[in-house]
């Protein structure tokens, strides 16, 4: 049965690549990107380990323990907070088949490795084996257990978040959960980078031993098994391996229980506001564009994934600012700069990018409902843009006030308004074109709300990165004019700067609206075919 | 500011849409049907998926006020034909349209004149039933007051008053079908496309939908209807088109079809027309 599930995943992956142009493009890109990342990580790991091996073998063991732990946490948490790594078999579709839960769990774990992203842990495991060649007899079993831990841990974590998002109360706390994960990761990163910077890798690893806790940390235990085997201690190696296996089984049991709950518990939908319940959309702005914008805004609140996009990215932007502010000196020391609030519109560009660049992808199958309505393509774009702009304005306002309070500088606060127009104009200008020319298919919501194929996850990252740089390029003129005004003694009159920023943003936006509208008119069936989920 | 500018550039809703939509193309389909353009038409329509020809040179001319049944086995090309006419699927060859408008030359004009009940419910699951009706009405250019009036009437008529405030994601299949039908007719379109409207619907809802369609047809609405419920096709349709492997093989009235096939009812006529088979060896199942 396990073999059949793995075969099913392989067949689905192959059929997906064969029948989907997006995946045909995405798979080579994904493989190249992931292999490059894997080789880079493995190379850095081997290099550091070799230097430790010659200096302090004990520190090497601790270093390897930490690497195993970080790899595990990164693998588990990244799909949720940044982008999904792999679209696995949907347990919902297997629920009626005569498969025992244990077979299903094992089959799902094995099937999850049939994906391009597996190249990263495989390269890291290869690097591990290359460093500790003396422990060869333990490398294969310990590595298999470690891979199992990655797969089960990641599934357990995604299933937990999906379970939380299934209940109304859970959705209310999901934001704080993501905040916790993101905040925790950030603090961990800060702490590690500061320690390594202050003490060096060798001293930092030696002064922060983790191997002593290996029996309580299954990924570290798997690594400990190899380290002990390499050191010629078979008994401790086997004990560590047993601890790792026990951890793996415990996680698998928890995942199995959670999956059982997910498969038998329907999603609790958000209750619409009392006013909306009574009166539909009859109150508030009316007309094609405002009504479409209101529909979008309701989805930002009611769709857990969209809500996470809007809240999660704000958290990241906040943390990024925190990081910059904490370390900054000289020009970037925001506390000393009276233009600090003006950074808000630029930072907000990070927010909502997955939505602004994929306006129709979020419609999923409902795009066929939208496209059969008699609105002009430009009206559709305008309605969706209005919603994105409204959300961005709210977030810019919050961030601006935060930065102004932090830096106690309110002098240039008025200039945030034209800069916001320019920034949002540039973002929407690029977003409209990307949404029409390269929409991304989002997965159907199953038991894992984060499921997405690696190829499309990579395409999303590539598309967002390229678009982000395009937006950045478009923002250079208004940003330069602003810098000349606020940092160089008002070389340019502030009112001219403000007018230029507004005109720049509006012109780009209107040009893009015109062009994207024409393209959408011609490409509506193609966009529909891209975004529809089978 | 962008949106104010857009308003002046003419991207804001145009109140005239309502007037255009609610005017049937032909007031009385029986009087000047000879001169009126067909309500729905296709000329040499071809649609391929890779090497598979889903719709193969189909010609269609449906007169205003007709209740047209589009029949065929699964995969015969009915849904593809409908999707191509309503502008969701681009044809490889041929032209399609509604009234005087070509779907691919004037898509907005065509969409303003049609209501569509699709086979699959691709509705907004996170809107309430009432919100979906309001949204659709607004997108069709109805005024706020008119939309509210029609929404309330439709919810009553479709027996969804209680459920109007629930999210569509929480609806049963029958309720989804009814709300989708409500959304398809809220703007009183002169042409209605219904793909399997009775599939998975309980008897009470089916009767409700049937009487609603009969009323629409009596009011002069052209209805293009695809279904596997032959007794309903026989009861409702004024003309039937049968598709076999992407081709339109027969177009007749229900009585004409029965006569042509030498049988007593549309179901037998349909099976005879498409060459239905029964497997002769069921031994593995019968034991």
């Amino acid at each position: 049965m396990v073999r059949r599930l793995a075969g099913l995943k392989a067949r689905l992956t192959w059929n997906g690549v064969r029948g989907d142009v997006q995946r045909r493009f995405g798979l080579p890109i994904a493989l190249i990107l992931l292999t490059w990342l894997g080789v880079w990580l493995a190379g850095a790991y081997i290099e550091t380990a070799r230097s430790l091996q010659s200096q302090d073998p004990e520190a090497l063991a601790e270093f390897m323990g930490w690497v195993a732990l970080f790899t595990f946490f990164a693998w588990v948490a990244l799909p949720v907070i940044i982008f999904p790594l792999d679209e696995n078999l949907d347990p919902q579709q297997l629920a009626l088949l005569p498969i025992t839960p244990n077979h299903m769990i094992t089959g799902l774990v094995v099937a999850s490795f049939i994906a391009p992203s597996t190249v990263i842990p495989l390269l890291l495991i290869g690097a591990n084996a290359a460093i500790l060649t003396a422990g060869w007899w333990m490398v294969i079993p310990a590595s298999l257990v470690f891979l199992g831990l990655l797969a089960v841990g990641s599934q357990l974590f995604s299933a937990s978040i999906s379970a939380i998002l299934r209940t109304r109360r859970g959705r209310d706390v999901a934001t704080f959960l993501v905040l916790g994960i993101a905040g925790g990761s950030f603090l961990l990163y800060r702490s590690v980078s500061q320690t390594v910077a202050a003490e060096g890798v060798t001293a930092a690893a030696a002064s922060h031993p983790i191997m002593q806790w290996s029996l309580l940390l299954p990924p570290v235990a798997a690594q400990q098994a190899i380290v002990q085997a390499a050191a010629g201690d078979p008994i401790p190696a086997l004990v560590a391996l047993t601890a790792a296996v026990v951890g793996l089984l415990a996680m698998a049991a928890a995942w199995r229980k959670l999956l059982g709950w997910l498969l038998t518990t329907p999603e609790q939908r958000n209750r619409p506001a009392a006013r909306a319940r009574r009166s539909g959309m009859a109150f508030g702005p009316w007309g094609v564009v405002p009504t479409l914008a209101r529909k979008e805004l309701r989805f930002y609140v009611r769709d857990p994934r969209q809500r996470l996009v809007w809240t999660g990215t704000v958290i990241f932007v906040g943390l990024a600012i925190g990081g910059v502010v904490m370390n900054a000196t000289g020009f970037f020391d925001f506390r000393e700069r009276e233009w600090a609030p003006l950074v808000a519109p630029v930072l907000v560009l990070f927010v909502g990018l997955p939505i602004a660049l994929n306006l129709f992808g979020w419609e999923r199958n409902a795009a066929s409902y939208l496209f059969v309505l008699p609105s002009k393509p430009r009206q559709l774009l305008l309605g969706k843009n209005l919603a994105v702009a409204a959300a961005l304005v709210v977030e810019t306002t919050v961030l601006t006030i935060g930065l102004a309070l932090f830096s106690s500088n309110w002098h240039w606060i008025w200039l945030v308004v034209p800069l916001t127009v320019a920034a949002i104009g540039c973002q929407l200008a690029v977003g409209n074109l990307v949404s029409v020319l390269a929409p991304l298919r989002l997965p159907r919501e199953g038991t894992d709300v984060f499921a997405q194929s690696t190829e499309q996850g990579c395409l999303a990252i590539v598309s967002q990165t390229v678009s982000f740089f395009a937006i950045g390029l478009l923002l250079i003129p208004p940003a330069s004019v602003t810098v000349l005004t606020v940092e160089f003694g008002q070389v340019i009159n502030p009112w001219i700067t403000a007018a230029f920023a507004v005109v720049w943003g509006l012109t780009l936006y209107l040009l893009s609206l015109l062009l994207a509208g024409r393209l959408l008119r011609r490409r509506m069936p193609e966009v529909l075919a891209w975004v529809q989920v089978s | 500011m962008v949106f104010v500018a857009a308003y002046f550039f003419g991207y804001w809703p145009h109140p005239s849409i309502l007037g255009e939509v609610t005017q049937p193309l032909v007031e009385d389909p029986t009087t000047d049907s000879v001169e009126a353009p067909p309500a729905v038409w296709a000329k040499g329509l071809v649609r391929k998926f890779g090497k598979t020809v889903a719709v193969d040179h189909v010609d269609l001319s449906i007169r205003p006020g007709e209740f047209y049944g589009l029949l065929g086995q699964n995969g015969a090309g009915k849904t593809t034909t409908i999707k191509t006419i309503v502008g969701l699927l681009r044809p490889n060859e041929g032209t399609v349209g509604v009234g005087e408008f070509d779907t691919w030359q004037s898509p907005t004009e065509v969409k303003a004149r049609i209501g569509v009940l699709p086979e699959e419910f691709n509705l907004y699951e996170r809107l309430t039933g009432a919100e979906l009706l309001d949204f659709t009405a607004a997108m069709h250019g109805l005024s706020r007051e008119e939309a509210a009036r029609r929404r309330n009437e439709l919810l009553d008529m479709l027996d969804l008053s209680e459920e109007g405030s629930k999210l569509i994601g929480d609806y049963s299949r029958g309720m989804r079908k009814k709300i989708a039908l409500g959304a398809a007719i809220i703007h009183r379109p002169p042409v209605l496309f219904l793909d399997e409207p009775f599939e998975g619907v309980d008897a009470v809802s089916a009767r409700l939908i049937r009487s609603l369609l009969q009323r629409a047809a009596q009011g002069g609405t052209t209805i293009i209807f695809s279904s596997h419920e032959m007794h309903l096709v026989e009861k409702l349709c004024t003309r039937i088109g049968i598709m076999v492997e992407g081709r339109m093989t027969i177009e007749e009235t229900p009585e004409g079809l029965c006569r042509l096939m030498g049988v007593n009812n549309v179901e037998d006529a349909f099976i005879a027309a498409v060459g239905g088979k029964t497997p002769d060896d069921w031994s593995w199942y019968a034991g």
Side-chain angles (χ1 to χ4, degrees), chain B residues 271 275-282:
Chain B
I271 290 172
K277 290 179 214 155
T278 313
D280 27 358
D281 184 14
W282 284 92

Side-chain angles (χ1 to χ4, degrees), chain A residues 35 59 68 86 109 121 181 203 205 207 227 281 287 292 382 452 463 468:
Chain A
T35 309
D86 280 309
V109 169
I181 297 165
S207 63
V227 170
M281 294 177 115
L292 183 58
L382 204 53
Q452 190 172 3
S463 155
F468 185 73

Side-chain angles (χ1 to χ4, degrees), chain A residues 374-425:
Chain A
S375 332
K376 290 176 181 161
R378 276 180 215 137
Q379 287 177 319
L380 296 181
L381 289 166
L382 204 53
K384 283 175 171 285
N385 290 164
L386 185 58
V388 173
L392 288 176
V393 163
V394 170
E395 302 204 327
T396 312
T397 307
V398 171
L399 209 55
T400 305
I401 292 170
L403 282 168
L405 283 172
F406 179 79
S407 62
S408 307
N409 282 311
W410 297 84
H411 179 61
W412 290 112
I413 199 104
W414 66 275
L415 208 50
V416 170
V417 177
L419 263 186
T420 303
V421 173
I424 294 177

Side-chain angles (χ1 to χ4, degrees), chain A residues 11 27 42 58 79 99 128 135 324 399 402 461 479 500 533:
Chain A
R11 170 59 59 185
L27 188 66
E58 264 185 44
I99 311 174
N128 221 17
V324 171
L399 209 55
I461 293 276
F500 175 72
V533 185

Side-chain angles (χ1 to χ4, degrees), chain A residues 58 128 143 162 184 235 276 297 345 347 350 361 400 501-503:
Chain A
E58 264 185 44
N128 221 17
S143 298
S162 299
I235 303 297
L297 289 171
L347 286 173
F350 286 99
T400 305
V502 170
V503 170

